[in-house]
């Protein structure tokens, strides 16, 4: 790894450590690296995840469904640390793409998998008839913003976040390129939220749940170190208003705690198997007992 201009070889080969964060687990091939079965709990839904923004989308959805009285949405949330566990054989069976979150729906006769956070949100919304309008313009608008998030966040996370916070050297060209795109995305949201209470209009939906962990997290300056200052997130006033409203929802607060492994131990519920876990099994309490 050097800062010198790079002349790519004719054919790329995987023969170097790039030194960046996650470098030791990134690989150019798919498939499992080792045999490892996944645990199964008692609830209809088995979630295998971590409280990254993509993981939080789904735990927020489960907590919102339960808060809205959908008792069939009970779930076990198992912790998958992405330091190699995403390449265990059991996990790869649930998500061939080796990324959290991944879900097994055991609510029917035959269990089946759902992977990709957006697909999981749509699956749960349709199953419970919640947080996704049934048809027409409102459904189209909600799905449009959901897919906007799925397409846009890789520029924020894989682009801006990677080159600003994780790359071994700070490359001006890369940071400029992705800061430009991220600020454009923040402006897209800010303009949409100028005339709409929620992302897709007057109702809270899976579009809010998908967008909040990424762009709300950025607006709160909760991700990528001092990126919030660098991108001047406070200047996006409508995004700030929406972020505060979503963050204050009790189900969102709970959803952000599930499968969390960093920060205040009182805010970490590493595995969730029962609603009472939020009172009894947060990491501060687990550590106090051990
Ligand atoms: N498009 C996927 C992205 C999932 C994703 O990128 N997950 C990350 C954590 S946020 C992951 O598991 N990374 C592990 C790896 O790349 O090996 C989704 O929305 O579910």
């Amino acid at each position: 790894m050097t800062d010198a201009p790079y002349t790519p070889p004719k054919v790329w080969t995987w023969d170097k450590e790039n030194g960046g964060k996650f470098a030791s687990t990134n690989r150019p091939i798919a498939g499992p690296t080792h045999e490892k079965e996944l645990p199964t709990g008692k609830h209809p839904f088995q979630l295998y995840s971590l409280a990254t923004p993509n993981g939080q989308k789904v735990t927020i959805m489960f907590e919102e469904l339960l808060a809205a009285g959908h008792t069939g949405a009970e779930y076990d949330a198992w912790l998958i640390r992405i330091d190699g566990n995403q390449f265990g054989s059991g996990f790869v069976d649930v998500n061939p793409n080796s990324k959290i979150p991944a879900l097994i729906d055991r609510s029917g006769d035959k269990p089946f998998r759902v992977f990709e956070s957006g697909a999981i949100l749509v699956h749960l919304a349709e199953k419970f008839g919640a947080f996704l309008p049934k048809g027409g313009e409102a459904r189209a608008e909600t799905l449009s913003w959901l897919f906007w998030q799925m397409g846009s966040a890789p520029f924020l996370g894989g682009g801006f976040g990677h080159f600003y916070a994780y790359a071994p050297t700070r490359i001006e060209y890369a940071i400029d390129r992705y800061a430009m795109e991220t600020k454009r995305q923040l402006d897209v949201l800010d303009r949409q939220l100028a005339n709409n209470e929620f992302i897709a209009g007057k109702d809270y939906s899976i579009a809010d749940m998908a967008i909040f962990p990424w762009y709300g997290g950025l607006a709160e300056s909760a991700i990528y170190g001092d990126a919030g200052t660098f991108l001047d997130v406070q200047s996006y006033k409508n995004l700030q208003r929406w972020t505060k409203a979503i963050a204050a929802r009790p189900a969102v607060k709970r959803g952000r705690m599930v499968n969390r492994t960093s920060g205040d131990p009182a805010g970490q519920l590493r595995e969730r198997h029962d609603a009472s876990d939020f009172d009894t099994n947060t990491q501060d309490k687990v550590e106090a007992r051990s």
Side-chain angles (χ1 to χ4, degrees), residues 51-102:
T52 66
N54 287 320
Q56 288 173 35
K57 296 175 200 173
V58 177
T59 46
I60 289 172
M61 176 62 165
F62 272 120
E63 293 300 327
E64 291 284 10
L65 286 168
L66 290 167
H70 297 283
T71 51
E74 268 298 344
Y75 70 110
D76 290 280
W78 303 95
L79 181 64
I80 301 291
R81 294 177 192 269
I82 54 174
D83 53 5
N85 293 295
Q86 70 272 39
F87 303 117
S89 56
F91 189 79
V92 176
D93 284 345
V94 185
N95 185 355
N97 197 36
S98 283
K99 304 215 185 249
I100 65 89

Side-chain angles (χ1 to χ4, degrees), residues 147-217:
F147 283 84
W148 175 87
Q149 187 283 318
M150 297 301 292
S152 298
F155 291 95
L156 164 55
F160 173 75
H162 178 83
F163 287 106
Y164 186 76
Y166 298 154
T169 54
R170 284 187 154 170
I171 303 164
E172 186 176 356
Y173 173 82
I175 292 175
D176 273 353
R177 178 182 161 89
Y178 290 112
M180 172 99 72
E181 172 62 6
T182 301
K183 283 186 72 78
R184 193 191 64 78
Q185 293 177 357
L186 290 169
D187 196 35
V188 168
L189 291 173
D190 200 57
R191 287 168 191 249
Q192 174 68 7
L193 288 165
N195 302 314
N196 296 287
E197 182 176 358
F198 296 107
I199 294 285
K202 62 180 179 31
D203 295 319
Y204 179 58
S205 73
I206 54 173
D208 298 282
M209 297 181 213
I211 292 171
F212 173 77
W214 281 105
Y215 295 90

